[in-house]
Amino acid sequence: MISQGITILGSTGSIGESTLKVLALHPQRYHVIALSAHSNVTRLAEQCKQYQARYAVISDKEKAGELRAALDALGCTSEVLAGRSALSDVVCLDETEAVMAAIVGAAGLEPTLHAVQAGKRLLLANKESMVIAGELFRKAAAEHSTTIIPVDSEHNALFQVLPKGFDQGLEQAGVEQLILTASGGPFLHTEHAALKNITPEQACKHPNWDMGRKISVDSATLMNKGLEIIEARWLFNASPGQIAVIVHPQSIVHSMVAYRDGSVLAQLGMPDMRTPIAHALAWPERIEAGVDRLNLADIHKLEFYQPDLERFPGLGLAFQVLETGGNAPVTFNAANEIAVDAFLHHRIGFLQIASVVSAAMDRCNQGKIDSLDEVLEYDRHARDVAEQIVNSLV
Ligand code: NAD
Ligand code: MG
């Protein structure tokens, strides 16, 4: 078997760690080219030692010396690269054959897009990139014949149950609807009045999934599902009317495709990101992921509900953003990143996250997007506006 060279952007995060666990099960099949972290020098050095990475990339330039010292202390010879541009450099290396994009937030956009432009197989976890620059991703993937395989569990499920050639048009493929499941997060049954006093610690405790702090808060507000409907729009070339959301608290059915003849195809599995990661790594083959097997007799029941858009206004906002298009997803995502950060730092309350996003949407102009520079400019502007709104609240 020819071993494949893998680069992981954001290897010290939840998805990055899960990816390394899957790679460890297949030492003949994969080898690590580069691993990256923003600032966690200690963990990055340990990973580089264990997986014999050729390059250790730290995006915070100031930490390069500290990283070299940590690697030397472990007797690890990985070459240190530092700064944001180093992320793009390692994805474009000849030795990198596939890239796991697992940086959180818009910070992952440039290296992720560069991976597509360099024609690397892209395993996409960093949904925010696709949300804010979906059209650029689609164009680049077509131009460079790049395969983008979604890692987000819902989108990976859809990718698994869609027919071949879905990209030519869902309608032509007999698809009526993409139905994304949502766990509903930790506060699915919490009274609206009690939502006001939710703490970051409570919001980060998800009932089914173990994830990074930002996506955990997004799951609690349902902003995550909002981002995911926009992600689905671009990944599957879907129109807004072709995307629906259903609440499914057990997180066993990861999403479904409804076909014209009344058939509904679903992908099921235990809620463990190693399944979509292993699928994306090996597709179209199937490899061991190291996960518990699903036994439906143990689960007993699978429930489904309509989402409550009044208690979780972020999802309603996302459907509007989907209709509006243009730069609206950039504003939506940037304002959400600022609001989540403010919430995690105890500057605003849980319910104010959606208010900040909504106010930022009202205050930013809608426009078209034709280039990466425009995305970055709208992103910066929306962050400034959202920051001002947060400051007016604290
Ligand atoms: P995390 O916070 O656990 O890890 C984030 C990683 O990105 C870390 O390695 C960190 O060093 C790096 N990073 C953070 N800020 C950076 C910056 N400014 N520049 C460069 N690197 C930076 O996040 P996660 O939960 O692993 O999520 C990663 C991405 O995958 C997110 O986009 C998330 O929405 C998506 N995702 C995660 C899960 C999950 O189960 N965790 C599921 C589906 C999708
Ligand atoms: Mg998801």
Side-chain angles (χ1 to χ4, degrees):
M1 182 182 296
I2 302 169
S3 174
Q4 213 186 356
I6 310 288
T7 283
I8 305 179
L9 300 171
S11 63
T12 54
S14 161
I15 293 287
E17 292 279 7
S18 295
T19 305
L20 288 171
K21 281 186 194 147
V22 177
L23 296 185
L25 298 174
H26 306 280
Q28 307 297 319
R29 203 179 164 112
Y30 305 107
H31 61 278
V32 170
I33 304 298
L35 298 177
S36 93
H38 188 53
S39 58
N40 189 347
V41 165
T42 312
R43 187 62 196 133
L44 180 60
E46 287 166 0
Q47 291 179 337
C48 286
K49 164 89 178 164
Q50 186 181 348
Y51 292 89
Q52 297 171 21
R54 288 202 208 145
Y55 301 93
V57 186
I58 191 88
S59 39
D60 180 351
K61 261 194 176 150
E62 314 257 290
K63 300 223 164 181
E66 210 183 303
L67 177 59
R68 182 69 270 159
L71 289 164
D72 288 346
L74 294 172
C76 176
T77 54
S78 303
E79 188 176 325
V80 171
L81 301 174
R84 301 193 50 74
S85 59
L87 297 169
S88 292
D89 294 343
V90 289
V91 304
C92 294
L93 289 169
D94 281 348
E95 308 98 282
T96 295
E97 287 159 278
V99 174
M100 166 58 82
I103 289 173
V104 60
L109 172 60
E110 285 168 273
T112 305
L113 189 57
H114 287 142
V116 176
Q117 288 165 342
K120 309 297 183 182
R121 178 189 181 105
L122 181 71
L123 287 47
L124 181 77
N126 177 215
K127 67 187 83 184
E128 295 90 347
S129 291
M130 185 58 74
V131 166
I132 66 177
E135 207 158 353
L136 302 183
F137 272 95
R138 285 195 68 79
K139 271 193 201 145
E143 200 174 316
H144 301 277
S145 307
T146 309
T147 310
I148 301 179
I149 307 173
V151 169
D152 210 350
S153 58
E154 297 76 3
H155 306 72
N156 183 267
L158 293 169
F159 186 88
Q160 292 197 41
V161 294
L162 278 165
K164 263 204 185 119
F166 67 79
D167 215 37
Q168 302 309 309
L170 291 179
E171 206 171 315
Q172 207 176 310
V175 173
E176 267 182 1
Q177 234 176 8
L178 307 177
I179 308 169
L180 280 83
T181 52
S183 69
F187 312 126
L188 178 59
H189 302 297
T190 307
E191 291 291 318
H192 189 268
L195 290 177
K196 196 166 163 255
N197 300 318
I198 297 294
T199 64
E201 288 63 40
Q202 290 169 317
C204 287
K205 256 202 206 98
H206 196 278
N208 306 335
W209 301 95
D210 185 9
M211 308 180 287
R213 282 166 73 77
K214 192 257 175 184
I215 184 175
S216 295
V217 175
D218 286 346
S219 299
T221 55
L222 290 199
M223 283 291 187
N224 181 51
K225 213 47 56 181
L227 294 169
E228 288 185 356
I229 61 174
I230 305 167
E231 182 188 11
R233 185 255 175 279
W234 294 116
L235 279 171
F236 305 116
N237 196 13
S239 63
Q242 287 171 322
I243 305 172
V245 170
I246 193 163
V247 174
H248 166 47
Q250 289 79 17
S251 300
I252 296 294
V253 175
H254 298 305
S255 278
M256 304 176 252
V257 174
Y259 285 89
R260 186 178 297 141
D261 60 5
S263 298
V264 176
L265 268 58
Q267 186 261 356
L268 283 71
M270 294 300 281
D272 188 321
M273 289 307 293
R274 286 173 297 174
T275 294
I277 289 168
H279 171 269
L281 274 167
W283 181 83
E285 289 178 51
R286 297 272 180 179
I287 56 170
E288 173 63 47
V291 304
D292 289 343
R293 300 313 192 237
L294 171 64
N295 182 345
L296 283 173
D298 287 345
I299 309 279
H300 300 302
K301 61 175 184 180
L302 300 176
E303 297 163 285
F304 299 94
Y305 306 102
Q306 278 306 324
D308 183 342
L309 299 188
E310 267 174 39
R311 282 171 63 240
F312 299 103
L315 184 56
L317 263 177
F319 273 108
Q320 283 173 29
V321 167
L322 194 63
E323 289 285 351
T324 310
N327 71 331
V330 182
T331 310
F332 178 76
N333 176 70
N336 183 53
E337 287 193 31
I338 295 294
V340 170
D341 188 69
F343 169 69
L344 285 172
H345 288 92
H346 302 271
R347 294 177 65 212
I348 61 170
F350 182 75
L351 289 174
Q352 287 175 315
I353 297 174
S355 318
V356 169
V357 176
S358 174
M361 298 294 309
D362 289 343
R363 290 202 1 211
C364 290
N365 291 333
Q366 312 296 347
K368 260 174 68 14
I369 281 178
D370 291 313
S371 67
L372 178 61
D373 284 345
E374 282 176 4
V375 174
L376 297 174
E377 200 180 309
Y378 279 128
D379 177 72
R380 266 193 305 272
H381 175 66
R383 275 165 207 273
D384 289 345
V385 170
E387 226 14 287
Q388 285 163 18
I389 297 166
V390 166
N391 287 334
S392 73
L393 292 173
V394 296

